Amino acid sequence: MRVWVDTDYGFDDLWALLVLRHGGVEVSGISLVAGNAPLPQVLANARGATAHYGFTAPLHAGADRPLKRTAETAQRILGPRGMTSRGAYLPEGDAPLASEDAMAALAGWLITEEAPQVLALGPLTNIARLIQQHPEAAARIRRLVWMGGSAGPGNHSALAEFNALADPEAADMVARAGLPLDVVDLMACRQARFGPAEMPRCEALTGDLLGGYLDIGLSRGRDGMAIYDPVAALALTRPEALEFQPRAMHVSTTPDESYGATTFDATGQGRTRLATGVASNTAHLCLDALKTDD
Ligand code: RIB
Ligand code: CA
């Protein structure tokens, strides 16, 4: 299986790429989008991960800002790199950018791929731009899996999940586009949690970055941390782990406390689905992708 990944390259995005590799899924291309950090830092994270983990997917620069709102990052939580650590950080990498126009690159791939699947792990700015600039290519998407939104409380504001809040207009456009959209929201991801006792034996840098990710939860007095982007990747590598049900997604674009909040209802006739069931071993499936080979 081949897939295209659109990402704002935090640690959980990197972890999702390791889940795809662990599951034998080939990544045909990576489009980068501002989100966890500004685009230059997202590119630096992508280059560093490519260098350290030996990823081969070409990197394409996408949107450096949301469609309409002011830029919003997660750096107040994740630090300047958009990625926390208990020690070491990703190295400097020098992987060349395959292009500066990720939407054109993704469109070209969609046109040539027989049954193209896209995994979106950040704000939906690039996907919205694809719909605007290359509608015929966007219409060829066979499946778009997105980690984003929340059918319950948010994580970046009280009501909104980060990827939705970082570009509500893009999420709204994608929700209305009629694409076969599978949403893996916060409520699904919150069913896949891990704590200190579940930390796997992994190579040093991965252990530092995973510990830094876990500390996002522990530092807030919680017993562990929800697993975000890797759960969305499981929809492609272990489809039995997630159950999806048809749900229309509605995104608030009112710039008040509801901005970016998502609601889901079963009345829609569209092709959007929501992950409503999560297997009990989902966290372990995600953690298995980080373990060193014994
Ligand atoms: O809300 C979690 C999502 O926001 C994840 O994709 C994380 O990487 C950030 O992009
Ligand atoms: Ca992400």
PDB file of all heavy atoms in Angstrom, residues 121-139:
ATOM      1  N   LEU A 121      -2.203  14.947   9.062  1.00  0.00           N
ATOM      2  CA  LEU A 121      -1.863  14.914  10.493  1.00  0.00           C
ATOM      3  C   LEU A 121      -1.714  16.312  11.087  1.00  0.00           C
ATOM      4  O   LEU A 121      -1.210  16.459  12.215  1.00  0.00           O
ATOM      5  CB  LEU A 121      -0.561  14.125  10.695  1.00  0.00           C
ATOM      6  CG  LEU A 121      -0.583  12.685  10.188  1.00  0.00           C
ATOM      7  CD1 LEU A 121       0.806  12.064  10.304  1.00  0.00           C
ATOM      8  CD2 LEU A 121      -1.627  11.854  10.924  1.00  0.00           C
ATOM      9  N   GLY A 122      -2.100  17.328  10.347  1.00  0.00           N
ATOM     10  CA  GLY A 122      -1.973  18.697  10.838  1.00  0.00           C
ATOM     11  C   GLY A 122      -3.185  19.514  10.447  1.00  0.00           C
ATOM     12  O   GLY A 122      -4.231  18.975  10.068  1.00  0.00           O
ATOM     13  N   PRO A 123      -3.071  20.850  10.549  1.00  0.00           N
ATOM     14  CA  PRO A 123      -4.137  21.712  10.029  1.00  0.00           C
ATOM     15  C   PRO A 123      -4.388  21.383   8.557  1.00  0.00           C
ATOM     16  O   PRO A 123      -3.469  20.991   7.840  1.00  0.00           O
ATOM     17  CB  PRO A 123      -3.566  23.120  10.206  1.00  0.00           C
ATOM     18  CG  PRO A 123      -2.535  22.970  11.293  1.00  0.00           C
ATOM     19  CD  PRO A 123      -1.955  21.600  11.128  1.00  0.00           C
ATOM     20  N   LEU A 124      -5.615  21.565   8.077  1.00  0.00           N
ATOM     21  CA  LEU A 124      -5.983  21.111   6.720  1.00  0.00           C
ATOM     22  C   LEU A 124      -5.738  22.165   5.641  1.00  0.00           C
ATOM     23  O   LEU A 124      -6.314  22.105   4.547  1.00  0.00           O
ATOM     24  CB  LEU A 124      -7.443  20.660   6.723  1.00  0.00           C
ATOM     25  CG  LEU A 124      -7.696  19.326   7.461  1.00  0.00           C
ATOM     26  CD1 LEU A 124      -9.194  19.063   7.610  1.00  0.00           C
ATOM     27  CD2 LEU A 124      -7.022  18.172   6.716  1.00  0.00           C
ATOM     28  N   THR A 125      -4.839  23.090   5.904  1.00  0.00           N
ATOM     29  CA  THR A 125      -4.569  24.175   4.956  1.00  0.00           C
ATOM     30  C   THR A 125      -4.139  23.650   3.586  1.00  0.00           C
ATOM     31  O   THR A 125      -4.667  24.092   2.553  1.00  0.00           O
ATOM     32  CB  THR A 125      -3.474  25.114   5.512  1.00  0.00           C
ATOM     33  OG1 THR A 125      -3.715  25.365   6.903  1.00  0.00           O
ATOM     34  CG2 THR A 125      -3.432  26.417   4.741  1.00  0.00           C
ATOM     35  N   ASN A 126      -3.215  22.703   3.546  1.00  0.00           N
ATOM     36  CA  ASN A 126      -2.745  22.168   2.259  1.00  0.00           C
ATOM     37  C   ASN A 126      -3.869  21.467   1.507  1.00  0.00           C
ATOM     38  O   ASN A 126      -3.998  21.606   0.280  1.00  0.00           O
ATOM     39  CB  ASN A 126      -1.584  21.192   2.472  1.00  0.00           C
ATOM     40  CG  ASN A 126      -0.279  21.875   2.804  1.00  0.00           C
ATOM     41  OD1 ASN A 126      -0.122  23.089   2.602  1.00  0.00           O
ATOM     42  ND2 ASN A 126       0.664  21.102   3.317  1.00  0.00           N
ATOM     43  N   ILE A 127      -4.686  20.709   2.230  1.00  0.00           N
ATOM     44  CA  ILE A 127      -5.774  19.978   1.568  1.00  0.00           C
ATOM     45  C   ILE A 127      -6.811  20.966   1.034  1.00  0.00           C
ATOM     46  O   ILE A 127      -7.316  20.825  -0.080  1.00  0.00           O
ATOM     47  CB  ILE A 127      -6.427  18.967   2.533  1.00  0.00           C
ATOM     48  CG1 ILE A 127      -5.378  18.045   3.182  1.00  0.00           C
ATOM     49  CG2 ILE A 127      -7.502  18.161   1.809  1.00  0.00           C
ATOM     50  CD1 ILE A 127      -4.543  17.241   2.224  1.00  0.00           C
ATOM     51  N   ALA A 128      -7.085  22.018   1.799  1.00  0.00           N
ATOM     52  CA  ALA A 128      -8.022  23.043   1.320  1.00  0.00           C
ATOM     53  C   ALA A 128      -7.460  23.741   0.079  1.00  0.00           C
ATOM     54  O   ALA A 128      -8.182  23.972  -0.904  1.00  0.00           O
ATOM     55  CB  ALA A 128      -8.294  24.060   2.423  1.00  0.00           C
ATOM     56  N   ARG A 129      -6.161  24.047   0.104  1.00  0.00           N
ATOM     57  CA  ARG A 129      -5.538  24.678  -1.074  1.00  0.00           C
ATOM     58  C   ARG A 129      -5.575  23.735  -2.271  1.00  0.00           C
ATOM     59  O   ARG A 129      -5.769  24.155  -3.417  1.00  0.00           O
ATOM     60  CB  ARG A 129      -4.078  25.059  -0.745  1.00  0.00           C
ATOM     61  CG  ARG A 129      -3.983  26.209   0.247  1.00  0.00           C
ATOM     62  CD  ARG A 129      -3.748  27.486  -0.491  1.00  0.00           C
ATOM     63  NE  ARG A 129      -3.447  28.618   0.388  1.00  0.00           N
ATOM     64  CZ  ARG A 129      -4.305  29.628   0.564  1.00  0.00           C
ATOM     65  NH1 ARG A 129      -5.497  29.591  -0.028  1.00  0.00           N
ATOM     66  NH2 ARG A 129      -3.993  30.654   1.340  1.00  0.00           N
ATOM     67  N   LEU A 130      -5.413  22.443  -2.018  1.00  0.00           N
ATOM     68  CA  LEU A 130      -5.502  21.464  -3.115  1.00  0.00           C
ATOM     69  C   LEU A 130      -6.899  21.527  -3.734  1.00  0.00           C
ATOM     70  O   LEU A 130      -7.048  21.567  -4.965  1.00  0.00           O
ATOM     71  CB  LEU A 130      -5.230  20.061  -2.584  1.00  0.00           C
ATOM     72  CG  LEU A 130      -5.419  18.915  -3.557  1.00  0.00           C
ATOM     73  CD1 LEU A 130      -4.188  18.776  -4.471  1.00  0.00           C
ATOM     74  CD2 LEU A 130      -5.709  17.592  -2.848  1.00  0.00           C
ATOM     75  N   ILE A 131      -7.928  21.574  -2.916  1.00  0.00           N
ATOM     76  CA  ILE A 131      -9.311  21.631  -3.420  1.00  0.00           C
ATOM     77  C   ILE A 131      -9.521  22.891  -4.236  1.00  0.00           C
ATOM     78  O   ILE A 131     -10.160  22.876  -5.297  1.00  0.00           O
ATOM     79  CB  ILE A 131     -10.305  21.558  -2.232  1.00  0.00           C
ATOM     80  CG1 ILE A 131     -10.232  20.180  -1.554  1.00  0.00           C
ATOM     81  CG2 ILE A 131     -11.725  21.882  -2.681  1.00  0.00           C
ATOM     82  CD1 ILE A 131     -10.945  20.114  -0.206  1.00  0.00           C
ATOM     83  N   GLN A 132      -8.933  24.001  -3.779  1.00  0.00           N
ATOM     84  CA  GLN A 132      -9.077  25.286  -4.494  1.00  0.00           C
ATOM     85  C   GLN A 132      -8.301  25.290  -5.810  1.00  0.00           C
ATOM     86  O   GLN A 132      -8.809  25.717  -6.843  1.00  0.00           O
ATOM     87  CB  GLN A 132      -8.553  26.434  -3.619  1.00  0.00           C
ATOM     88  CG  GLN A 132      -9.415  26.767  -2.412  1.00  0.00           C
ATOM     89  CD  GLN A 132      -8.747  27.834  -1.528  1.00  0.00           C
ATOM     90  OE1 GLN A 132      -7.524  27.817  -1.312  1.00  0.00           O
ATOM     91  NE2 GLN A 132      -9.545  28.758  -1.020  1.00  0.00           N
ATOM     92  N   GLN A 133      -7.059  24.807  -5.769  1.00  0.00           N
ATOM     93  CA  GLN A 133      -6.154  24.971  -6.913  1.00  0.00           C
ATOM     94  C   GLN A 133      -6.173  23.782  -7.879  1.00  0.00           C
ATOM     95  O   GLN A 133      -5.860  23.923  -9.053  1.00  0.00           O
ATOM     96  CB  GLN A 133      -4.722  25.193  -6.393  1.00  0.00           C
ATOM     97  CG  GLN A 133      -4.559  26.455  -5.547  1.00  0.00           C
ATOM     98  CD  GLN A 133      -3.241  26.474  -4.765  1.00  0.00           C
ATOM     99  OE1 GLN A 133      -2.337  25.703  -5.042  1.00  0.00           O
ATOM    100  NE2 GLN A 133      -3.153  27.358  -3.776  1.00  0.00           N
ATOM    101  N   HIS A 134      -6.527  22.598  -7.370  1.00  0.00           N
ATOM    102  CA  HIS A 134      -6.509  21.383  -8.214  1.00  0.00           C
ATOM    103  C   HIS A 134      -7.741  20.535  -7.899  1.00  0.00           C
ATOM    104  O   HIS A 134      -7.615  19.389  -7.441  1.00  0.00           O
ATOM    105  CB  HIS A 134      -5.234  20.573  -7.952  1.00  0.00           C
ATOM    106  CG  HIS A 134      -3.957  21.341  -8.104  1.00  0.00           C
ATOM    107  ND1 HIS A 134      -3.358  21.566  -9.330  1.00  0.00           N
ATOM    108  CD2 HIS A 134      -3.194  21.978  -7.172  1.00  0.00           C
ATOM    109  CE1 HIS A 134      -2.261  22.282  -9.154  1.00  0.00           C
ATOM    110  NE2 HIS A 134      -2.137  22.547  -7.864  1.00  0.00           N
ATOM    111  N   PRO A 135      -8.941  21.055  -8.157  1.00  0.00           N
ATOM    112  CA  PRO A 135     -10.166  20.339  -7.771  1.00  0.00           C
ATOM    113  C   PRO A 135     -10.305  18.972  -8.423  1.00  0.00           C
ATOM    114  O   PRO A 135     -10.786  18.025  -7.790  1.00  0.00           O
ATOM    115  CB  PRO A 135     -11.293  21.287  -8.211  1.00  0.00           C
ATOM    116  CG  PRO A 135     -10.674  22.233  -9.190  1.00  0.00           C
ATOM    117  CD  PRO A 135      -9.236  22.358  -8.798  1.00  0.00           C
ATOM    118  N   GLU A 136      -9.810  18.839  -9.662  1.00  0.00           N
ATOM    119  CA  GLU A 136      -9.967  17.542 -10.340  1.00  0.00           C
ATOM    120  C   GLU A 136      -9.066  16.490  -9.690  1.00  0.00           C
ATOM    121  O   GLU A 136      -9.433  15.322  -9.590  1.00  0.00           O
ATOM    122  CB  GLU A 136      -9.631  17.699 -11.834  1.00  0.00           C
ATOM    123  CG  GLU A 136      -8.175  17.795 -12.193  1.00  0.00           C
ATOM    124  CD  GLU A 136      -7.496  19.092 -11.696  1.00  0.00           C
ATOM    125  OE1 GLU A 136      -8.210  20.071 -11.419  1.00  0.00           O
ATOM    126  OE2 GLU A 136      -6.251  19.060 -11.550  1.00  0.00           O
ATOM    127  N   ALA A 137      -7.937  16.926  -9.198  1.00  0.00           N
ATOM    128  CA  ALA A 137      -7.043  15.984  -8.505  1.00  0.00           C
ATOM    129  C   ALA A 137      -7.628  15.622  -7.134  1.00  0.00           C
ATOM    130  O   ALA A 137      -7.644  14.452  -6.744  1.00  0.00           O
ATOM    131  CB  ALA A 137      -5.656  16.596  -8.349  1.00  0.00           C
ATOM    132  N   ALA A 138      -8.135  16.642  -6.450  1.00  0.00           N
ATOM    133  CA  ALA A 138      -8.723  16.393  -5.115  1.00  0.00           C
ATOM    134  C   ALA A 138      -9.864  15.389  -5.213  1.00  0.00           C
ATOM    135  O   ALA A 138     -10.010  14.516  -4.350  1.00  0.00           O
ATOM    136  CB  ALA A 138      -9.216  17.704  -4.518  1.00  0.00           C
ATOM    137  N   ALA A 139     -10.613  15.461  -6.305  1.00  0.00           N
ATOM    138  CA  ALA A 139     -11.770  14.566  -6.466  1.00  0.00           C
ATOM    139  C   ALA A 139     -11.345  13.110  -6.634  1.00  0.00           C
ATOM    140  O   ALA A 139     -12.178  12.203  -6.492  1.00  0.00           O
ATOM    141  CB  ALA A 139     -12.604  15.006  -7.662  1.00  0.00           C
TER     142      ALA A 139
END
